[in-house]
Amino acid sequence: MATTKIEFAVPMSCQSCVDKVSNVLNGMDGIKNFEVDFSQERVVVESSLPIHQLQAALETSGKRGSIKGVVRFTEVEEKCVIDGTIDGLKPGPHGFHIYSSGDLSQGCDSIGDHYNPYNRPHGGPNDNIQNRHLGDLGNILSDESGRAAFRIIDKHIKVHDVIGRSVAVTAQADDLGRGSNISSKMDGNSGERIGCGIIARSAGILENTKRICLCSGVTLWDEKGATS
């Protein structure tokens, strides 16, 4: 059975936390490999199990083991409003970007680079479009509970151009291209991608009926008016 690497941000304050997480994952059927990184407070699991099952297992160790949330892209009056909430983060700023691909076959490792159709250096969301990636959305700020609530307004992004791509949040803050090293002009020294998701079209009322396959649990979509 195919396996996928999934990364979780897991608060860990001591070696005992590492041991608890490791004890939960050790010997679980469906887990090929895992890494518990205390310094980065993250757990990377290579597994054939669904995310919700891994999340439930991690939570039995007493740790909240998932990054999850909802992000909306809405075009209004020649602008795009990006708003949402993301839970499970370490308190503080985290980089937030649109990536070129919606391929989650290897988790956040396979979503490509920042969405950059104009081949520009990395920058911040308020920079001139000549001095930023189109996917550069700056930072979101997580509070002490691990929640980041945000609202970003961008005058360059078009929803139809980003459907099928992905968004991701990173472990560290984005320096907005102001750093002195090469990485600053590539990703803002924002570190690893710790949570990501595909940007999908949201259906209107009575459009794209959603069904769950009883045999597999897979979500099925019926495109209104589609023909085979």
Side-chain angles (χ1 to χ4, degrees), residues 11 37 94 97 108 130 157 209:
D37 188 333
H94 296 267
H97 312 100
C108 298
Q130 302 297 320
I157 294 171
T209 303

Side-chain angles (χ1 to χ4, degrees), residues 55-228:
Q55 177 184 341
L58 286 168
E59 289 177 349
T60 64
S61 71
K63 301 297 175 183
R64 187 178 186 178
S66 66
I67 294 175
K68 55 187 177 182
V70 175
V71 180
R72 292 168 292 270
F73 289 75
T74 308
E75 277 191 46
V76 290
E77 298 179 353
E78 303 300 321
K79 297 178 181 179
C80 184
V81 178
I82 304 107
D83 69 323
T85 57
I86 298 177
D87 291 303
L89 300 169
K90 288 179 62 176
H94 296 267
F96 186 61
H97 312 100
I98 300 172
Y99 288 78
S100 59
S101 171
D103 178 8
L104 298 183
S105 61
Q106 299 178 50
C108 298
D109 290 335
S110 53
I111 59 176
D113 298 320
H114 292 178
Y115 180 44
N116 185 21
Y118 306 127
N119 195 29
R120 304 301 182 187
H122 177 73
N126 296 321
D127 289 341
N128 185 288
I129 195 60
Q130 302 297 320
N131 298 311
R132 59 168 278 201
H133 302 153
L134 191 55
D136 290 341
L137 301 179
N139 290 295
I140 57 176
L141 183 64
S142 174
D143 62 21
E144 291 300 317
S145 72
R147 166 167 286 193
F150 53 90
R151 179 181 174 87
I152 302 165
I153 298 177
D154 191 285
K155 62 182 179 180
H156 301 292
I157 294 171
K158 302 296 183 183
V159 172
H160 62 81
D161 288 333
V162 299
I163 290 175
R165 304 186 192 281
S166 58
V167 291
V169 61
T170 58
Q172 301 171 30
D174 186 338
D175 68 17
L176 309 182
R178 277 42 167 188
S180 58
N181 61 351
I182 295 176
S183 180
S184 179
K185 293 300 183 182
M186 297 174 63
D187 63 9
N189 291 306
S190 56
E192 296 185 60
R193 308 156 192 177
I194 55 175
C196 56
I198 298 172
I199 302 170
R201 184 172 73 87
S202 177
I205 298 174
L206 300 180
E207 292 181 348
N208 292 1
T209 303
K210 177 181 177 183
R211 299 182 298 165
I212 305 296
C213 177
L214 188 60
C215 57
S216 66
V218 172
T219 301
L220 306 176
W221 295 91
D222 287 338
E223 290 288 345
K224 185 176 180 181
T227 57
S228 57

